[in-house]
Coordinates of all heavy atoms in Angstrom, one line a residue:
M30 N -2.2 -15.5 45.3 CA -2.2 -15.3 43.9 C -2.1 -16.7 43.3 O -1.3 -17.5 43.7 CB -1.1 -14.4 43.5 CG -1.1 -14.1 42.0 SD 0.2 -12.9 41.5 CE -0.2 -11.5 42.4
S31 N -2.9 -17.0 42.2 CA -2.8 -18.2 41.5 C -1.7 -18.3 40.6 O -1.2 -17.2 40.1 CB -4.1 -18.5 40.8 OG -5.2 -18.5 41.6
T32 N -1.3 -19.5 40.2 CA -0.2 -19.7 39.3 C -0.7 -20.3 38.0 O -1.6 -21.1 38.0 CB 0.9 -20.6 39.8 OG1 1.4 -20.0 41.0 CG2 2.0 -20.8 38.9
M33 N -0.2 -19.8 36.8 CA -0.6 -20.3 35.5 C 0.7 -20.5 34.7 O 1.5 -19.5 34.6 CB -1.5 -19.3 34.8 CG -1.9 -19.8 33.4 SD -2.9 -18.5 32.5 CE -4.4 -18.7 33.4
N34 N 0.9 -21.6 34.2 CA 2.1 -21.9 33.4 C 1.6 -21.9 31.9 O 0.6 -22.4 31.6 CB 2.7 -23.3 33.7 CG 3.2 -23.3 35.1 OD1 3.9 -22.4 35.5 ND2 2.9 -24.4 35.8
I35 N 2.4 -21.2 31.1 CA 2.1 -21.1 29.7 C 3.3 -21.6 28.9 O 4.4 -21.4 29.3 CB 1.6 -19.7 29.2 CG1 2.7 -18.7 29.5 CG2 0.3 -19.3 29.9 CD1 2.4 -17.3 28.9
S36 N 3.1 -22.1 27.7 CA 4.1 -22.5 26.8 C 4.1 -21.5 25.6 O 3.1 -21.2 25.1 CB 3.9 -23.9 26.3 OG 3.9 -24.8 27.3
L37 N 5.3 -21.0 25.3 CA 5.5 -20.1 24.2 C 6.6 -20.6 23.3 O 7.5 -21.2 23.7 CB 5.9 -18.7 24.7 CG 5.0 -18.0 25.7 CD1 5.7 -16.7 26.2 CD2 3.7 -17.6 25.0
P38 N 6.4 -20.3 22.0 CA 7.5 -20.6 21.0 C 8.7 -19.7 21.4 O 8.5 -18.7 22.0 CB 6.9 -20.2 19.7 CG 5.5 -20.0 19.9 CD 5.2 -19.8 21.3
E39 N 9.8 -20.1 21.1 CA 11.0 -19.4 21.5 C 11.0 -17.9 21.0 O 11.5 -17.1 21.7 CB 12.3 -20.1 20.9 CG 13.6 -19.5 21.4 CD 13.7 -19.5 22.9 OE1 13.3 -20.5 23.6 OE2 14.2 -18.5 23.4
T40 N 10.5 -17.7 19.8 CA 10.4 -16.3 19.3 C 9.6 -15.4 20.2 O 9.9 -14.3 20.5 CB 9.9 -16.2 17.9 OG1 8.7 -16.8 17.8 CG2 10.9 -16.9 16.9
M41 N 8.5 -16.0 20.7 CA 7.6 -15.2 21.6 C 8.2 -15.0 23.0 O 8.1 -13.9 23.6 CB 6.2 -15.9 21.7 CG 5.4 -15.8 20.5 SD 3.8 -16.6 20.7 CE 2.8 -15.1 21.1
K42 N 8.9 -16.0 23.5 CA 9.6 -15.9 24.8 C 10.7 -14.9 24.7 O 10.8 -14.1 25.6 CB 10.2 -17.3 25.2 CG 10.8 -17.2 26.6 CD 11.5 -18.5 26.9 CE 12.2 -18.4 28.3 NZ 13.0 -17.2 28.6
S43 N 11.4 -14.9 23.6 CA 12.4 -13.8 23.4 C 11.8 -12.4 23.4 O 12.4 -11.5 24.0 CB 13.2 -14.1 22.1 OG 13.9 -15.3 22.2
F44 N 10.7 -12.3 22.7 CA 10.0 -11.0 22.7 C 9.6 -10.6 24.1 O 9.9 -9.4 24.4 CB 8.8 -11.1 21.8 CG 8.0 -9.8 21.7 CD1 8.4 -8.8 20.9 CD2 6.9 -9.7 22.5 CE1 7.7 -7.6 20.9 CE2 6.1 -8.5 22.5 CZ 6.5 -7.4 21.7
V45 N 9.0 -11.5 24.8 CA 8.6 -11.1 26.2 C 9.9 -10.7 27.0 O 9.8 -9.7 27.7 CB 7.9 -12.3 26.9 CG1 7.7 -12.1 28.4 CG2 6.5 -12.5 26.2
D46 N 10.9 -11.5 26.9 CA 12.1 -11.2 27.7 C 12.7 -9.8 27.3 O 13.1 -9.0 28.1 CB 13.2 -12.2 27.4 CG 12.9 -13.6 28.0 OD1 12.0 -13.6 29.0 OD2 13.5 -14.6 27.6
E47 N 12.6 -9.5 26.0 CA 13.1 -8.1 25.6 C 12.2 -7.0 26.1 O 12.7 -6.0 26.6 CB 13.0 -8.0 24.0 CG 14.1 -8.8 23.3 CD 13.9 -8.8 21.8 OE1 13.2 -7.9 21.3 OE2 14.4 -9.7 21.1
Q48 N 10.9 -7.3 26.1 CA 10.0 -6.3 26.7 C 10.2 -6.1 28.2 O 10.2 -4.9 28.7 CB 8.5 -6.7 26.4 CG 8.1 -6.7 25.0 CD 8.4 -5.4 24.3 OE1 7.9 -4.4 24.7 NE2 9.2 -5.4 23.3
V49 N 10.5 -7.1 28.9 CA 10.7 -7.1 30.3 C 12.0 -6.2 30.6 O 12.0 -5.3 31.4 CB 10.9 -8.5 30.9 CG1 11.5 -8.4 32.4 CG2 9.6 -9.2 30.9
N50 N 13.0 -6.5 29.8 CA 14.3 -5.7 30.0 C 14.2 -4.3 29.5 O 14.6 -3.4 30.2 CB 15.4 -6.4 29.2 CG 15.8 -7.7 29.8 OD1 15.7 -7.9 31.0 ND2 16.2 -8.7 29.0
Q51 N 13.5 -4.0 28.4 CA 13.5 -2.7 27.8 C 12.5 -1.8 28.6 O 12.7 -0.6 28.6 CB 13.1 -2.7 26.4 CG 14.2 -3.3 25.5 CD 13.7 -3.5 24.0 OE1 12.6 -3.1 23.7 NE2 14.6 -4.0 23.2
R52 N 11.4 -2.4 29.1 CA 10.4 -1.5 29.7 C 10.4 -1.5 31.2 O 9.5 -0.9 31.8 CB 9.0 -2.0 29.2 CG 8.8 -1.9 27.7 CD 7.6 -2.6 27.2 NE 6.9 -1.7 26.4 CZ 5.6 -1.9 26.1 NH1 4.9 -2.9 26.5 NH2 5.0 -1.0 25.3
G53 N 11.4 -2.2 31.8 CA 11.5 -2.1 33.2 C 10.7 -2.9 34.1 O 10.5 -2.7 35.3
Y54 N 10.1 -4.0 33.5 CA 9.3 -4.9 34.4 C 10.3 -5.8 35.1 O 11.4 -6.1 34.7 CB 8.4 -5.8 33.5 CG 7.3 -5.1 32.8 CD1 7.5 -4.7 31.5 CD2 6.2 -4.8 33.4 CE1 6.5 -4.0 30.8 CE2 5.1 -4.1 32.8 CZ 5.3 -3.7 31.5 OH 4.3 -3.0 30.8
G55 N 9.9 -6.2 36.3 CA 10.7 -7.0 37.2 C 10.8 -8.5 36.7 O 11.8 -9.1 36.8
T56 N 9.6 -8.9 36.2 CA 9.5 -10.3 35.7 C 8.6 -10.4 34.5 O 7.9 -9.5 34.2 CB 8.9 -11.2 36.8 OG1 7.5 -10.8 37.1 CG2 9.7 -11.2 38.1
S57 N 8.6 -11.5 33.8 CA 7.7 -11.7 32.7 C 6.3 -11.8 33.2 O 5.4 -11.4 32.5 CB 8.1 -13.0 31.9 OG 8.1 -14.1 32.8
S58 N 6.1 -12.2 34.4 CA 4.7 -12.3 35.0 C 4.1 -10.8 35.1 O 2.9 -10.6 34.8 CB 4.7 -12.9 36.3 OG 5.0 -14.3 36.2
E59 N 4.9 -9.9 35.5 CA 4.5 -8.5 35.6 C 4.1 -8.0 34.2 O 3.1 -7.3 34.0 CB 5.6 -7.6 36.1 CG 5.8 -7.8 37.6 CD 6.9 -6.9 38.1 OE1 7.3 -5.9 37.4 OE2 7.4 -7.1 39.2
Y60 N 4.9 -8.3 33.2 CA 4.6 -7.9 31.8 C 3.2 -8.5 31.3 O 2.4 -7.8 30.8 CB 5.7 -8.3 30.9 CG 5.4 -8.0 29.4 CD1 5.3 -6.7 29.0 CD2 5.3 -9.1 28.5 CE1 5.1 -6.4 27.6 CE2 5.1 -8.8 27.2 CZ 5.0 -7.5 26.7 OH 4.7 -7.2 25.4
V61 N 3.1 -9.8 31.6 CA 1.8 -10.5 31.1 C 0.6 -9.9 31.9 O -0.4 -9.7 31.3 CB 2.0 -12.0 31.3 CG1 0.6 -12.7 31.1 CG2 3.0 -12.6 30.4
R62 N 0.8 -9.7 33.2 CA -0.3 -9.1 34.0 C -0.7 -7.7 33.4 O -1.9 -7.4 33.3 CB 0.0 -9.0 35.4 CG -0.1 -10.3 36.2 CD 0.0 -10.1 37.7 NE 1.3 -9.6 38.1 CZ 2.4 -10.3 38.5 NH1 2.3 -11.6 38.4 NH2 3.5 -9.7 38.9
E63 N 0.3 -6.9 33.0 CA 0.0 -5.6 32.4 C -0.8 -5.8 31.1 O -1.7 -5.0 30.8 CB 1.3 -4.8 32.2 CG 1.1 -3.5 31.6 CD 0.4 -2.5 32.5 OE1 0.3 -2.7 33.7 OE2 -0.1 -1.5 32.0
L64 N -0.4 -6.7 30.3 CA -1.1 -7.0 29.0 C -2.6 -7.4 29.3 O -3.5 -6.9 28.6 CB -0.4 -8.1 28.2 CG 0.9 -7.8 27.6 CD1 1.5 -9.0 26.9 CD2 0.9 -6.6 26.6
I65 N -2.8 -8.2 30.3 CA -4.1 -8.6 30.6 C -4.9 -7.5 31.1 O -6.1 -7.3 30.8 CB -4.1 -9.8 31.6 CG1 -3.5 -11.0 31.0 CG2 -5.5 -10.1 32.2 CD1 -3.1 -12.2 31.9
R66 N -4.4 -6.6 32.0 CA -5.1 -5.5 32.5 C -5.5 -4.5 31.3 O -6.6 -4.0 31.3 CB -4.2 -4.7 33.5 CG -4.3 -5.3 34.9 CD -3.6 -4.3 35.9 NE -2.2 -4.3 35.8 CZ -1.3 -5.1 36.3 NH1 -1.8 -6.1 37.1 NH2 0.0 -5.0 36.1
K67 N -4.6 -4.3 30.4 CA -4.9 -3.5 29.3 C -6.0 -4.1 28.4 O -6.9 -3.3 27.9 CB -3.7 -3.2 28.4 CG -2.7 -2.3 29.0 CD -1.5 -2.1 28.2 CE -0.5 -1.1 28.8 NZ 0.7 -0.9 28.0
E68 N -6.0 -5.4 28.3 CA -7.1 -6.0 27.5 C -8.4 -5.9 28.2 O -9.5 -5.7 27.6 CB -6.7 -7.5 27.2 CG -7.8 -8.2 26.5 CD -8.0 -7.7 25.0 OE1 -7.3 -6.9 24.5 OE2 -9.0 -8.2 24.4
Q69 N -8.4 -6.0 29.6 CA -9.6 -5.9 30.3 C -10.2 -4.5 30.2 O -11.4 -4.3 30.0 CB -9.3 -6.2 31.8 CG -9.1 -7.7 32.1 CD -8.7 -7.9 33.6 OE1 -8.0 -7.1 34.1 NE2 -9.3 -9.0 34.1
D70 N -9.3 -3.5 30.3 CA -9.7 -2.1 30.1 C -10.3 -1.9 28.7 O -11.3 -1.2 28.5 CB -8.5 -1.1 30.3 CG -8.1 -1.0 31.7 OD1 -8.8 -1.5 32.6 OD2 -7.0 -0.5 32.0
R71 N -9.6 -2.4 27.7 CA -10.1 -2.3 26.3 C -11.5 -2.9 26.1 O -12.4 -2.3 25.5 CB -9.1 -2.9 25.3 CG -9.4 -2.6 23.9 CD -8.6 -3.6 22.9 NE -9.1 -4.9 23.0 CZ -10.2 -5.4 22.5 NH1 -11.0 -4.7 21.8 NH2 -10.5 -6.7 22.6
M72 N -11.7 -4.1 26.7 CA -13.0 -4.7 26.6 C -14.1 -4.0 27.4 O -15.2 -3.9 26.9 CB -12.9 -6.2 27.2 CG -12.1 -7.1 26.2 SD -11.9 -8.8 26.9 CE -13.6 -9.3 26.9
H73 N -13.7 -3.4 28.5 CA -14.7 -2.6 29.3 C -15.1 -1.4 28.5 O -16.3 -1.0 28.4 CB -14.0 -2.2 30.6 CG -14.9 -1.3 31.5 ND1 -16.1 -1.8 32.0 CD2 -14.8 0.0 31.8 CE1 -16.7 -0.8 32.7 NE2 -15.9 0.3 32.6
L74 N -14.1 -0.7 27.9 CA -14.4 0.5 27.1 C -15.3 0.1 25.9 O -16.2 0.8 25.5 CB -13.1 1.2 26.6 CG -13.3 2.3 25.6 CD1 -14.1 3.4 26.3 CD2 -12.0 2.9 25.2
R75 N -15.0 -1.0 25.2 CA -15.7 -1.5 24.1 C -17.2 -1.7 24.5 O -18.1 -1.3 23.8 CB -15.1 -2.8 23.5 CG -15.9 -3.3 22.3 CD -15.2 -4.6 21.8 NE -15.8 -5.1 20.6 CZ -16.9 -5.8 20.5 NH1 -17.5 -6.2 21.6 NH2 -17.3 -6.2 19.3
N76 N -17.4 -2.4 25.7 CA -18.7 -2.6 26.2 C -19.5 -1.3 26.5 O -20.7 -1.2 26.2 CB -18.7 -3.5 27.4 CG -18.3 -5.0 27.0 OD1 -18.5 -5.4 25.9 ND2 -17.7 -5.7 28.0
L77 N -18.8 -0.3 27.0 CA -19.4 0.9 27.3 C -19.8 1.6 26.0 O -20.9 2.2 25.8 CB -18.5 1.9 28.0 CG -18.2 1.5 29.5 CD1 -17.1 2.4 30.1 CD2 -19.5 1.6 30.3
L78 N -19.0 1.5 25.0 CA -19.3 2.1 23.7 C -20.5 1.4 23.0 O -21.3 2.1 22.4 CB -18.1 2.1 22.7 CG -16.9 3.0 23.1 CD1 -15.7 2.7 22.3 CD2 -17.3 4.5 23.0
L79 N -20.5 0.1 23.1 CA -21.6 -0.6 22.5 C -22.9 -0.3 23.2 O -24.0 -0.2 22.6 CB -21.3 -2.1 22.5 CG -20.3 -2.6 21.6 CD1 -19.9 -4.1 21.8 CD2 -20.7 -2.4 20.1
A80 N -22.8 -0.2 24.6 CA -24.0 0.1 25.3 C -24.5 1.5 24.9 O -25.7 1.8 24.8 CB -23.8 0.1 26.8
G81 N -23.6 2.5 24.8 CA -24.0 3.8 24.4 C -24.6 3.8 23.0 O -25.6 4.5 22.7
A82 N -24.0 3.1 22.1 CA -24.6 3.0 20.7 C -26.0 2.4 20.7 O -26.8 2.8 19.8 CB -23.6 2.2 19.8
A83 N -26.2 1.5 21.6 CA -27.5 0.8 21.6 C -28.6 1.6 22.4 O -29.8 1.3 22.4 CB -27.4 -0.6 22.2
S84 N -28.2 2.6 23.1 CA -29.1 3.4 24.0 C -29.9 4.3 23.1 O -29.6 4.6 22.0 CB -28.3 4.1 25.1 OG -27.6 5.1 24.5
A85 N -31.0 4.8 23.7 CA -31.9 5.7 23.1 C -31.1 7.1 22.8 O -30.3 7.5 23.7 CB -33.1 6.0 23.9
P86 N -31.4 7.7 21.8 CA -30.8 9.0 21.5 C -31.2 10.0 22.6 O -32.3 10.0 23.1 CB -31.4 9.5 20.2 CG -32.0 8.3 19.6 CD -32.3 7.3 20.7
A87 N -30.2 10.8 23.0 CA -30.4 11.9 24.0 C -30.7 13.2 23.3 O -30.6 13.3 22.0 CB -29.2 12.0 24.9
A88 N -30.9 14.2 24.0 CA -31.1 15.6 23.5 C -29.8 16.0 22.8 O -28.7 15.6 23.3 CB -31.5 16.5 24.6
S89 N -29.8 16.8 21.8 CA -28.6 17.2 21.1 C -27.8 18.1 22.0 O -28.4 18.9 22.8 CB -28.9 17.8 19.8 OG -29.7 19.0 20.0
A90 N -26.5 18.0 21.9 CA -25.6 18.9 22.7 C -25.2 20.1 21.8 O -24.2 20.1 21.2 CB -24.4 18.1 23.1
D91 N -26.1 21.1 21.8 CA -25.9 22.3 21.0 C -25.3 23.4 21.9 O -25.0 23.1 23.0 CB -27.2 22.7 20.3 CG -28.3 23.0 21.3 OD1 -28.0 22.9 22.5 OD2 -29.4 23.2 20.8
T92 N -25.2 24.5 21.3 CA -24.6 25.7 22.1 C -25.4 26.0 23.4 O -24.7 26.2 24.4 CB -24.6 26.9 21.2 OG1 -24.0 26.6 20.0 CG2 -24.0 28.1 21.8
S93 N -26.7 25.9 23.4 CA -27.4 26.2 24.6 C -27.2 25.1 25.7 O -27.2 25.4 26.8 CB -28.9 26.3 24.3 OG -29.4 25.1 23.8
Y94 N -27.0 23.9 25.3 CA -26.7 22.8 26.2 C -25.4 23.1 26.9 O -25.3 23.1 28.2 CB -26.6 21.5 25.5 CG -26.1 20.4 26.3 CD1 -26.9 19.7 27.2 CD2 -24.7 20.0 26.3 CE1 -26.4 18.7 28.0 CE2 -24.2 19.0 27.1 CZ -25.1 18.3 28.0 OH -24.6 17.3 28.7
F95 N -24.3 23.5 26.2 CA -23.0 23.8 26.8 C -23.1 25.1 27.6 O -22.4 25.2 28.7 CB -21.9 23.8 25.8 CG -21.6 22.5 25.2 CD1 -22.0 22.1 24.0 CD2 -20.9 21.6 26.0 CE1 -21.7 20.8 23.5 CE2 -20.6 20.3 25.6 CZ -21.0 19.9 24.3
E96 N -23.8 26.1 27.2 CA -24.0 27.3 28.0 C -24.7 26.9 29.3 O -24.3 27.5 30.4 CB -24.8 28.3 27.3 CG -24.0 29.2 26.4 CD -22.8 29.9 27.1 OE1 -23.0 30.4 28.2 OE2 -21.7 29.9 26.6
G97 N -25.7 26.1 29.3 CA -26.3 25.6 30.6 C -25.3 25.0 31.5 O -25.4 25.2 32.7
L98 N -24.4 24.1 30.9 CA -23.4 23.5 31.8 C -22.5 24.5 32.4 O -22.2 24.5 33.6 CB -22.6 22.5 30.9 CG -23.2 21.2 30.6 CD1 -22.3 20.4 29.7 CD2 -23.6 20.4 31.8
R99 N -22.1 25.5 31.6 CA -21.2 26.5 32.1 C -21.8 27.3 33.2 O -21.2 27.6 34.2 CB -20.8 27.5 31.0 CG -19.8 26.8 30.0 CD -19.3 27.9 28.9 NE -18.7 27.2 27.9 CZ -19.2 26.8 26.7 NH1 -20.5 27.1 26.5 NH2 -18.5 26.2 25.8
D100 N -23.1 27.7 33.0 CA -23.8 28.4 34.1 C -23.9 27.6 35.4 O -23.7 28.2 36.4 CB -25.3 28.7 33.6 CG -25.3 29.8 32.5 OD1 -24.2 30.5 32.4 OD2 -26.3 29.9 31.8
R101 N -24.2 26.3 35.3 CA -24.3 25.5 36.5 C -22.9 25.4 37.2 O -22.8 25.5 38.4 CB -24.7 24.1 36.1 CG -26.2 24.0 35.8 CD -26.8 22.6 35.8 NE -25.9 21.6 35.3 CZ -26.2 20.5 34.7 NH1 -27.5 20.3 34.3 NH2 -25.4 19.6 34.4
V102 N -21.8 25.3 36.4 CA -20.5 25.3 37.0 C -20.2 26.6 37.7 O -19.7 26.7 38.8 CB -19.4 25.0 36.0 CG1 -18.0 25.2 36.5 CG2 -19.6 23.5 35.5
R103 N -20.5 27.7 37.0 CA -20.3 29.0 37.6 C -21.0 29.3 38.9 O -20.5 29.8 39.8 CB -20.6 30.1 36.6 CG -19.7 30.3 35.4 CD -20.1 31.4 34.5 NE -19.4 31.3 33.2 CZ -20.0 31.1 32.0 NH1 -21.3 31.0 31.9 NH2 -19.2 31.0 30.9
K104 N -22.3 28.8 38.9 CA -23.1 29.0 40.1 C -22.6 28.1 41.2 O -22.7 28.5 42.4 CB -24.6 28.7 39.8 CG -25.2 29.7 38.9 CD -26.6 29.4 38.5 CE -27.2 30.4 37.6 NZ -28.5 30.0 37.0
G105 N -22.1 27.0 40.9 CA -21.6 26.0 41.9 C -20.2 26.3 42.4 O -19.8 25.8 43.5
A106 N -19.5 27.2 41.7 CA -18.1 27.5 42.1 C -18.1 28.5 43.2 O -18.8 29.4 43.2 CB -17.3 28.1 40.9
K107 N -17.2 28.2 44.2 CA -17.1 29.1 45.4 C -16.0 30.1 45.1 O -15.0 29.7 44.5 CB -16.8 28.3 46.6 CG -17.9 27.3 47.0 CD -17.6 26.5 48.2 CE -18.7 25.6 48.6 NZ -18.4 24.8 49.7
P108 N -16.1 31.3 45.6 CA -15.0 32.3 45.4 C -13.8 31.8 46.1 O -13.9 31.2 47.2 CB -15.6 33.6 45.9 CG -16.8 33.2 46.7 CD -17.3 31.8 46.2
A109 N -12.6 32.2 45.6 CA -11.4 31.8 46.2 C -11.2 32.6 47.5 O -11.6 33.8 47.6 CB -10.2 32.1 45.3
A110 N -10.7 31.9 48.5 CA -10.4 32.6 49.8 C -9.3 33.6 49.7 O -8.3 33.3 49.0 CB -10.2 31.6 50.9
K111 N -9.4 34.7 50.4 CA -8.3 35.7 50.3 C -7.2 35.3 51.3 O -7.5 34.9 52.4 CB -8.8 37.1 50.6 CG -9.8 37.6 49.6 CD -10.2 39.0 49.9 CE -11.2 39.5 48.8 NZ -11.6 40.9 49.1
A112 N -6.0 35.6 51.0 CA -4.9 35.2 51.8 C -4.6 36.2 52.8 O -4.8 37.4 52.8 CB -3.6 34.9 51.0

């Protein structure tokens, strides 16, 4: 694992220390890693939403569309085994 040193104003360091204590993180590094993971997830979701918005329109999801999905699920479902 690589090491990165950061400088924070005292108020931010105090905030991080409080979060570590209140939320059960072992170290401030764990807290910062969690923040970075959440930001990565947020950016990934944003990119998926933008890609979806830029894609060509699909067929509308009306009542018949959902009925077709239900039928496919019903046909694919196996009966429960008897005990």
Side-chain angles (χ1 to χ4, degrees):
M30 187 176 297
S31 297
T32 301
M33 175 186 287
N34 296 313
I35 60 170
S36 298
L37 298 173
E39 187 57 40
T40 56
M41 290 181 95
K42 183 184 180 312
S43 295
F44 176 80
V45 169
D46 291 341
E47 287 174 22
Q48 296 304 303
V49 168
N50 291 328
Q51 292 175 2
R52 296 172 131 195
Y54 293 99
T56 65
S57 57
S58 292
E59 288 178 14
Y60 176 66
V61 170
R62 283 192 295 269
E63 180 68 17
L64 291 176
I65 292 169
R66 279 191 288 274
K67 286 181 180 181
E68 179 65 8
Q69 288 174 322
D70 290 346
R71 189 194 67 77
M72 288 177 66
H73 179 68
L74 177 58
R75 181 179 188 277
N76 288 334
L77 290 173
L78 290 170
L79 289 172
S84 67
S89 64
D91 57 8
T92 304
S93 64
Y94 171 80
F95 287 107
E96 272 305 315
L98 286 177
R99 287 184 194 96
D100 288 342
R101 289 195 326 214
V102 169
R103 286 181 195 117
K104 290 176 184 172
K107 296 180 181 178
K111 294 183 181 181

